[in-house]
Amino acid sequence: AEIGITTICESPQSYPFTHFSQFQPHRLEASGRTFFGKSLELACDELASLLHGYNAQGRPYNTPTVLVMSDGAPFGESSGVTQAGIDRIKSLEAARQIFLIPAGVTRDDCDRLDLMKFSQRALCIAEINWIELFRIVTASAGKIAAGQRPMSV
């Protein structure tokens, strides 16, 4: 399994996908404007590139899990750009090309994410039972691998 990070900020940055055993967390700091749509587009591009490489090598892979974590509202980009990023990630989810987990740091952040109408309600980081989250993700990954619809959170 590999982990990739794309920041949600004015100048989104993607950190390369890294095998989880070699992953070194990056220090992420909130600052400036929040270009949510632009960041989602970059994350989708990075994931598409990774999967294209897997396909070119004939390397099998499971449906990627994408965690969209937010600590605020989109700010500083046009609503059209924001909506385009949301629509793109939702279309990947609807086509079962990703398993999407929206998550907010606070209850207000979760409520904002819920207004974006993803297929499941946002998890609130401040309220998460981490053991339960792990159970949900692993059960959902197993269902996806078996070609079934993942459980809702």
Side-chain angles (χ1 to χ4, degrees):
E2 293 174 299
I3 298 172
I5 294 177
T6 300
T7 60
I8 300 176
C9 58
E10 188 170 346
S11 298
Q13 180 178 4
S14 281
Y15 296 94
F17 280 91
T18 307
H19 190 272
F20 75 92
S21 66
Q22 299 170 347
F23 179 72
Q24 297 293 316
H26 301 275
R27 182 168 175 78
L28 305 174
E29 295 184 25
S31 65
R33 299 184 287 176
T34 305
F35 287 11
F36 197 79
K38 182 178 177 182
S39 299
L40 290 178
E41 291 280 0
L42 177 59
C44 289
D45 291 345
E46 292 292 321
L47 183 58
S49 177
L50 176 74
L51 299 182
H52 176 75
Y54 283 176
N55 288 329
Q57 298 168 7
R59 183 175 169 188
Y61 59 89
N62 291 323
T63 303
T65 298
V66 176
L67 173 68
V68 174
M69 189 181 317
S70 177
D71 67 350
F75 172 71
E77 68 183 357
S78 74
S79 61
V81 171
T82 301
Q83 193 60 52
I86 293 167
D87 290 346
R88 183 170 176 199
I89 204 156
K90 285 170 67 173
S91 71
L92 292 174
E93 180 186 29
R96 295 185 178 189
Q97 294 176 329
I98 62 169
F99 173 60
L100 180 66
I101 303 173
V105 174
T106 68
R107 173 55 42 206
D108 286 343
D109 301 329
C110 291
D111 292 343
R112 276 189 288 277
L113 285 167
D114 286 341
L115 291 174
M116 296 176 193
K117 304 206 181 316
F118 295 114
S119 68
Q120 56 188 336
R121 291 186 48 81
L123 298 173
C124 183
I125 300 298
E127 300 169 3
I128 287 179
N129 172 336
W130 291 96
I131 293 171
E132 180 67 8
L133 175 61
F134 180 75
R135 186 193 68 74
I136 289 168
V137 170
T138 54
S140 295
K143 287 185 176 205
I144 290 169
Q148 301 171 8
R149 184 82 179 139
M151 62 192 305
S152 290
V153 177

